[in-house]
Amino acid sequence: MPTSYDALIIGSGQAGNPLATALAKAGRKVALVEKYLLGGSCINYGCSPVKAMLASAERMHQVATSQEYGVLSEPPAVDFKAVVARKDTIIQEMRDGVRKNLTKEDSGITVLMGHATFTGPKSVRVTALDGSTQDIKAPLIFINTGTSSAIPPIEGLAETHFLTNKSILELQELPEHLLILGGGYIGLEFAQMFRRFGSRVTIIEHAKNLLEREDDDVCEAMQQQLGADGVEFVLGAEVRRVSHNPEGEYTLTAHTAEGERRLRGSHLLVAVGRQPNTDDLGLEAAGIETNEKGYILVNERLQTNVRGVYALGDVHPGPQFTHLAYDDYRVVRDNILHRKRRSAKDRPLPYVVFTQPQLGRIGLSENQAREQGLDYRVATMPVQYVGRARETGNKEGFMKVLVDERNHIIGATIFSEQGGEIMAMIQLAMAGKLTCDQLQNMVFAHPTWAESLNNLFAKLVKA
């Protein structure tokens, strides 16, 4: 006979874990199934480990450039195993915290390690690591299985031992020459990181620009900055074949505007996008609908077409960010437990690319504003004009804001030191419906990065 629970959560991610806790505190009997590691992608092979290693790369850069600040030091050398060990220590502490929260602090949660497969609309079979099975049924089921690296159908690629965003974090030796297939957020962060550690790095991208969804000025500034760090680029390249010889060298054969090129390196990172982890869930047994890419279709309350079944986080269509997955939890929590009508549609979309400088984004880009035919004004200012930038030596990048006809901010791009934090300030101003005039005349402490907003809004011009 199947074991009955009030709620079943498949996947221990940034939406599933807090939901399990909230439901248990409300008196619900909860089962949480995880087939890999508690904590989901963010903790285990996403945000947290990457940012921990980026911190080491930034420290390496600070030492390497210390003479510019009048500080004499020996040229730095990276102990890559120590970098990885530091990352592993941080992540293990986070994993332990998640496990303690789910298994010790609330008796209403049962954690099952194994793979879940639907056997019906409200029933799931869990196959444990030892092969044993357990049938579970629940009136409420929440799918929070996330995504994994999308692998393009390139000849020879599947036969090579290429790296993904997950396996690259397990390296113990620094790559001599890292080839990165893909010029998106993941690829750029790893590119700058490994270049600063001392690897030669080449980014191969099919589009003509990095970050093809951003405005052209953002793409150009990012490429210029990474180029200054020594990252090499092959843009507008269609990779047609990948090979890996016995000596461990990768060769990518790519078609470019200049003709065929052969790119060789010691390691290959594939970072061309993500795909949902839905192909082995048995969704057809439950009648759960997906789109052509396998993402689970949901409404504004994150309900699937099957009553009582929800999809949270990256597994449904839309932007894939940890903070949105956590907000999915809040949407479901409020609708189910607090009887509040809360929607996942039309919510703010802040995000940060953690290169140095950081790229912080909120609201509309200039391309999006033009596509929507909006009447807007735009202000752009090089970061080098900011007093704090000159004092700290972090003068790279620029700031851009868009303002509507009522003087309200509709979008911001901050490519700057502390770009994510400055962007968050603008997001707060947008949420509070402050006008650009108020920010331009606001008294900020001197000398801070916030003070840049005084000067930025003074440069507004008609688009």
Side-chain angles (χ1 to χ4, degrees):
M1 295 292 295
T3 304
S4 296
Y5 290 88
D6 298 318
L8 167 64
I9 300 172
I10 305 174
S12 171
Q14 294 302 304
N17 292 342
L19 180 60
T21 300
L23 290 171
K25 287 183 177 179
R28 309 287 181 97
K29 182 182 176 183
V30 181
L32 187 148
V33 181
E34 173 57 55
K35 73 172 183 178
Y36 182 49
L37 293 168
L38 293 177
S41 62
C42 180
I43 287 178
N44 292 295
Y45 47 86
C47 313
S48 298
V50 176
K51 276 52 178 180
M53 293 180 70
L54 280 170
S56 294
E58 182 176 348
R59 191 62 57 91
M60 180 93 173
H61 182 68
Q62 290 172 346
V63 175
T65 59
S66 64
Q67 291 190 16
E68 299 176 12
Y69 296 80
V71 178
L72 302 180
S73 65
E74 295 294 328
V78 65
D79 182 345
F80 190 66
K81 289 185 178 180
V83 170
V84 174
R86 174 182 178 272
K87 176 263 298 181
D88 289 343
T89 298
I90 293 171
I91 300 312
Q92 190 59 54
E93 290 174 353
M94 291 183 172
R95 289 173 182 163
D96 293 343
V98 170
R99 179 172 292 280
K100 178 181 178 182
N101 181 61
L102 292 175
T103 61
K104 295 182 180 180
E105 295 186 4
D106 204 310
S107 58
I109 303 172
T110 299
V111 175
L112 302 172
M113 300 304 296
H115 176 63
T117 307
F118 280 90
T119 55
K122 298 296 176 64
S123 59
V124 166
R125 176 164 295 163
V126 179
T127 303
L129 300 179
D130 62 4
S132 61
T133 62
Q134 179 178 354
D135 289 334
I136 295 174
K137 64 178 182 179
L140 293 173
I141 298 179
F142 306 91
I143 305 171
N144 183 218
T145 51
T147 61
S148 54
S149 295
I151 309 304
I154 298 174
E155 180 186 349
L157 178 61
E159 289 73 48
T160 66
H161 299 289
F162 60 86
L163 300 168
T164 65
N165 69 301
K166 182 187 297 186
S167 57
I168 195 172
L169 296 171
E170 301 169 359
L171 289 179
Q172 294 297 314
E173 300 292 337
L174 193 65
E176 178 185 349
H177 184 185
L178 177 62
L179 303 174
I180 300 179
L181 188 57
Y185 313 132
I186 294 174
L188 298 188
E189 290 183 357
F190 279 118
Q192 189 177 60
M193 175 201 302
F194 279 97
R195 179 65 194 130
R196 288 184 168 182
F197 284 150
S199 298
R200 182 183 172 190
V201 177
T202 303
I203 293 177
I204 304 99
E205 167 61 42
H206 72 89
K208 295 181 180 179
N209 291 316
L210 304 174
L211 301 173
E212 58 179 327
R213 295 180 183 176
E214 303 291 347
D215 291 337
D216 288 346
D217 52 1
V218 178
C219 302
E220 292 168 5
M222 180 65 77
Q223 183 174 342
Q224 182 179 0
Q225 178 58 45
L226 295 184
D229 280 335
V231 176
E232 302 168 38
F233 304 95
V234 181
L235 304 179
E238 180 186 352
V239 177
R240 296 180 172 177
R241 189 173 186 280
V242 177
S243 62
H244 189 216
N245 66 23
E247 289 72 38
E249 182 181 62
Y250 288 86
T251 300
L252 275 62
T253 303
H255 176 74
T256 71
E258 293 76 31
E260 186 176 276
R261 291 191 58 179
R262 293 181 181 272
L263 307 162
R264 294 179 173 85
S266 61
H267 295 72
L268 171 62
L269 168 64
V270 176
V272 297
R274 312 290 294 172
Q275 62 185 16
N277 296 324
T278 58
D279 60 329
D280 59 354
L281 292 178
L283 298 180
E284 62 282 353
I288 298 170
E289 294 180 355
T290 64
N291 66 12
E292 67 281 359
K293 295 183 179 180
Y295 289 97
I296 298 175
L297 299 176
V298 295
N299 62 14
E300 66 177 18
R301 303 176 77 179
L302 304 174
Q303 297 166 310
T304 70
N305 64 300
V306 177
R307 184 177 178 84
V309 180
Y310 296 72
L312 294 80
D314 297 350
V315 77
H316 63 70
Q320 299 176 358
F321 296 106
T322 294
H323 41 282
L324 289 188
Y326 187 79
D327 194 60
D328 282 358
Y329 143 69
R330 289 186 289 225
V331 169
V332 171
R333 175 202 63 192
D334 287 354
N335 284 322
I336 292 178
L337 296 180
H338 300 161
R339 300 301 178 185
K340 297 179 181 178
R341 189 166 184 84
R342 185 166 180 162
S343 173
K345 303 294 184 183
D346 300 322
R347 53 189 172 184
L349 177 57
Y351 58 91
V352 183
V353 182
F354 285 89
T355 51
Q356 191 182 21
Q358 296 174 1
L359 173 60
R361 284 274 288 105
I362 180 66
L364 298 178
S365 68
E366 198 166 359
N367 286 339
Q368 292 169 328
R370 282 195 294 263
E371 289 171 359
Q372 296 181 23
L374 299 181
D375 183 15
Y376 69 94
R377 290 183 294 157
V378 60
T380 304
M381 182 179 72
V383 170
Q384 62 183 349
Y385 292 173
V386 181
R388 186 65 177 166
R390 293 194 294 269
E391 293 151 4
T392 61
N394 297 301
K395 298 182 290 185
E396 300 83 7
F398 72 100
M399 302 179 180
K400 179 167 68 171
V401 290
L402 278 62
V403 173
D404 66 15
E405 67 278 2
R406 297 176 299 164
N407 288 337
H408 288 140
I409 307 166
I410 58 174
T413 299
I414 310 297
F415 184 49
S416 164
E417 178 71 15
Q418 302 299 321
E421 310 300 333
I422 301 170
M423 175 274 292
M425 292 178 55
I426 296 177
Q427 181 183 356
L428 289 172
M430 294 169 68
K433 300 188 183 305
L434 298 182
T435 67
C436 58
D437 295 330
Q438 288 174 293
L439 288 175
Q440 183 182 346
N441 295 301
M442 189 170 290
V443 178
F444 294 106
H446 174 78
T448 61
W449 286 102
E451 195 179 28
S452 61
L453 300 184
N454 291 153
N455 296 329
L456 175 59
F457 287 101
K459 299 182 180 297
L460 283 168
V461 296
K462 185 69 175 176

